[in-house]
Amino acid sequence: MRKLPREFYDRQTITVARDLLGKLLVHASEGVERVGRIVETEAYLGPHDLAAHSARGLTPRTKVMFGPPGYAYVYFIYGMYFCMNVVTEREGHASAVLLRAVEPVKNVEGRSCGPGLLCRAMKIDKLLNGHDLLSDDFYIAAPTKEEIFTTVKSPRIGVDYAKHWAKRHLRFYIKGNAHVSRP
């Protein structure tokens, strides 16, 4: 597998969100390599996007989002789930792509359709917040063979509080994939 280079993440967030579909999320821990094919993402476009965590400004929680592209932003929600984002665009822009679902490829146990379930199945937790996605133990790679698929775009899920931003079509998924959280 060929790791995605830093330049892949240093592009417009919507482009990265679409281009992450079909790529492989790899996490090696405790002697086990887990691999999941990314099948669903959501784009968060920076502090002006009312659904983005960065809309509240630079905080200890959002510091990673304001950093350079190609790092993992992992946070805890509802007192029970971790969620993983990929930081995109230039340092200081504070935009990211939420990984919403993966299709299990290798050593992924349990459901992986939904951001919290994805992290649980891939053993991703707060310790990976700020982790460089060009490392040897946690990264995103291009598959050895590119697959042709249809991409669907729709409004993001669970951001009704974000006013007009809730209706923007910033969620992307592979049409017909059984591991998408909501078709």
Side-chain angles (χ1 to χ4, degrees), residues 81-96:
Y81 292 113
F82 290 99
C83 295
M84 179 197 167
N85 288 255
V86 175
V87 177
T88 58
E89 300 195 38
R90 69 187 181 284
E91 188 167 354
H93 188 68
S95 55

Side-chain angles (χ1 to χ4, degrees), residues 141-157:
T144 52
K145 181 182 176 192
E146 292 290 331
E147 183 183 338
I148 297 172
F149 53 81
T150 300
T151 300
V152 177
K153 62 182 181 175
S154 70
R156 295 175 291 194
I157 296 172

Side-chain angles (χ1 to χ4, degrees), residues 1-3 22-24 35 37 105 141-147:
M1 290 185 284
R2 182 179 44 85
K3 282 182 215 171
K23 302 298 188 278
L24 301 172
V35 181
R37 180 173 167 250
V105 173
T144 52
K145 181 182 176 192
E146 292 290 331
E147 183 183 338

Side-chain angles (χ1 to χ4, degrees), residues 16-177:
V16 175
R18 292 178 74 105
D19 289 352
L20 280 170
L21 295 176
K23 302 298 188 278
L24 301 172
L25 176 62
V26 180
H27 180 216
S29 67
E30 300 172 359
V32 178
E33 182 182 66
R34 291 171 184 81
V35 181
R37 180 173 167 250
I38 300 168
V39 297
E40 182 181 1
T41 62
E42 287 181 351
Y44 289 86
L45 306 181
H48 63 286
D49 178 347
L50 299 179
H53 289 175
S54 57
R56 295 175 190 89
L58 178 62
T59 67
R61 180 184 190 191
T62 63
K63 182 180 178 182
V64 173
M65 283 185 79
F66 284 85
Y71 285 78
Y73 168 49
V74 179
Y75 59 90
F76 199 55
I77 59 165
Y78 309 130
M80 62 191 322
Y81 292 113
F82 290 99
C83 295
M84 179 197 167
N85 288 255
V86 175
V87 177
T88 58
E89 300 195 38
R90 69 187 181 284
E91 188 167 354
H93 188 68
S95 55
V97 175
L98 173 67
L99 302 185
R100 285 200 52 85
V102 296
E103 177 182 330
V105 173
K106 179 181 176 186
N107 296 321
V108 178
E109 297 178 8
R111 293 176 49 213
S112 58
C113 54
L117 295 173
L118 177 158
C119 285
R120 185 177 288 164
M122 293 286 299
K123 305 290 189 221
I124 296 169
D125 61 22
K126 189 75 170 178
L127 294 175
L128 293 170
N129 186 44
H131 200 92
D132 188 348
L133 292 172
L134 274 65
S135 69
D136 289 333
D137 60 344
F138 189 45
Y139 59 92
I140 299 173
T144 52
K145 181 182 176 192
E146 292 290 331
E147 183 183 338
I148 297 172
F149 53 81
T150 300
T151 300
V152 177
K153 62 182 181 175
S154 70
R156 295 175 291 194
I157 296 172
V159 295
D160 294 338
Y161 59 86
K163 302 178 184 175
H164 65 281
W165 283 95
K167 294 180 177 28
R168 300 269 316 264
H169 286 218
L170 296 171
R171 175 177 168 245
F172 306 94
Y173 63 91
I174 295 176
K175 183 178 183 176
N177 188 283

